[in-house]
Amino acid sequence: MNGVNMYYKELLESSEKAYLETNRYKHFKNIITSERYFSNYISYKIMPTVSEFLQDMIYLADEQKDYQSDFAFVFFEENAELSSELQRTLSQQGFESEKHIIFTNSLNHLKLLEKEFDDITFTKLNENYLEKYLKFKYEQSIVYGETYAKQMYNDNRTNLLNNNAKVYLAIKDNQIIGDVTAWDYGEYVEIDDFYVQESYRGQGIGTRLQFDASRGFKKVILISEEENRKMYEHQGYEEVAYYWTALRSPRK
């Protein structure tokens, strides 16, 4: 693997088995978390023509016909722009597109410090904090609907302590004020689901959570949008790739 031709996107998708793989795309499908877009989507290996895309959406609609929400989510080929024709089609079909930037660097090139706080504890999620964490995430998820929140609650309870992800917490006054998920990809660790309560931002809590999550790995990788570029570049991350997604959803 050489850093191009979907290397990073393929790496980040490697923790989940595809429901279907063709010569053009992978289809990821999880009926347990059917309301979660990032568990149910088509990921293109090569850019589709407009005709192929429309046919793929017919296929996806049939696969998701029993889902409560009528949505469609697609990831496009890494480092490929959307053609004007495909952009028009996406707009006509009710999709909203978004560019995702992949940032990475060696851990020793990142400005992630083990900052100490007098009143905040940092710890890896374990059985002692599981119930509190499940409630914490449920409260975040409820804005997407009760069905989604319940699906994620049950999935987290079943799998959170048993998969290749580790969750790191920031605790103050016995309450969770921040968290981050670390996915293990060998020499890489992906920083995912990064969150700090708004009133505690700008104090270095997020940097400390990243430090704890990346400890012991050679390289760190994360996905973000353009609005967060300055923050991550300040921490030493460098853009290495990008990809577009398109989402059609009644939630928007």
Side-chain angles (χ1 to χ4, degrees):
M1 294 182 178
N2 57 14
V4 295
N5 296 328
M6 298 174 58
Y7 167 76
Y8 294 102
K9 185 160 160 278
E10 285 187 351
L11 176 71
L12 296 169
E13 292 174 347
S14 64
S15 62
E16 186 176 357
K17 184 178 179 180
Y19 170 76
L20 174 70
E21 182 169 0
T22 73
N23 63 329
R24 296 192 299 107
Y25 64 76
K26 295 179 182 179
H27 176 202
F28 294 93
K29 179 178 179 179
N30 187 332
I31 60 174
I32 303 300
T33 53
S34 62
E35 290 293 295
R36 184 174 187 266
Y37 305 145
F38 284 90
S39 297
N40 300 273
Y41 62 95
I42 281 179
S43 178
Y44 284 104
K45 302 176 185 179
I46 56 176
M47 292 298 283
T49 65
V50 168
S51 177
E52 288 171 337
F53 174 77
L54 293 175
Q55 287 297 316
D56 295 338
M57 292 307 96
I58 293 173
Y59 158 77
L60 191 62
D62 183 64
E63 284 290 331
Q64 297 180 178
K65 63 180 181 295
D66 295 326
Y67 285 12
Q68 178 172 307
S69 295
D70 178 20
F71 70 89
F73 193 31
V74 296
F75 288 42
F76 290 103
E77 180 186 359
E78 185 174 307
N79 295 330
E81 288 295 339
L82 301 176
S83 68
S84 57
E85 187 179 14
L86 188 53
Q87 289 183 48
R88 285 195 299 272
T89 299
L90 289 171
S91 179
Q92 292 167 357
Q93 294 291 315
F95 284 85
E96 294 186 12
S97 57
E98 186 173 38
K99 187 177 184 179
H100 301 263
I101 303 168
I102 302 175
F103 293 96
T104 188
N105 211 332
S106 299
L107 180 59
N108 59 5
H109 290 158
L110 297 176
K111 302 172 185 176
L112 303 180
L113 303 176
E114 191 175 9
K115 183 178 179 180
E116 297 297 333
F117 296 80
D118 293 334
D119 55 349
I120 300 175
T121 301
F122 294 85
T123 184
K124 185 163 64 175
L125 177 66
N126 53 43
E127 290 285 356
N128 295 330
Y129 286 102
L130 182 59
E131 291 301 325
K132 192 178 294 291
Y133 183 73
L134 291 173
K135 182 179 179 181
F136 176 71
K137 300 306 285 187
Y138 181 88
E139 291 172 349
Q140 292 179 12
S141 299
I142 196 65
V143 297
Y144 301 112
E146 186 176 4
T147 301
Y148 172 82
K150 286 182 176 179
Q151 285 184 354
M152 293 306 300
Y153 180 93
N154 292 331
D155 186 64
N156 284 335
R157 174 178 287 283
T158 301
N159 298 311
L160 202 56
L161 298 179
N162 303 309
N163 55 28
N164 71 330
K166 299 292 185 289
V167 177
Y168 295 83
L169 307 175
I171 309 288
K172 182 176 181 179
D173 299 329
N174 204 33
Q175 298 298 317
I176 300 172
I177 62 170
D179 71 307
V180 68
T181 301
W183 290 91
D184 184 344
Y185 295 104
E187 68 175 356
Y188 280 94
V189 60
E190 182 195 2
I191 302 298
D192 193 20
D193 291 334
F194 181 40
Y195 176 80
V196 176
Q197 285 186 1
E198 188 171 357
S199 59
Y200 294 101
R201 294 172 189 172
Q203 302 178 31
I205 296 170
T207 299
R208 170 60 192 270
L209 284 169
Q210 290 182 67
F211 177 89
D212 289 351
S214 58
R215 196 194 310 261
F217 289 89
K218 291 183 178 180
K219 299 179 181 179
V220 185
I221 188 169
L222 57 84
I223 303 171
S224 185
E225 284 68 53
E226 185 65 38
E227 63 191 42
N228 296 318
R229 176 186 292 276
K230 288 184 178 180
M231 177 181 68
Y232 289 125
E233 288 183 342
H234 176 74
Q235 292 176 340
Y237 289 99
E238 297 177 352
E239 178 181 351
V240 291
Y242 69 88
Y243 60 88
W244 285 88
T245 63
L247 173 63
R248 178 183 54 75
S249 167
R251 293 182 194 163
K252 286 191 171 291

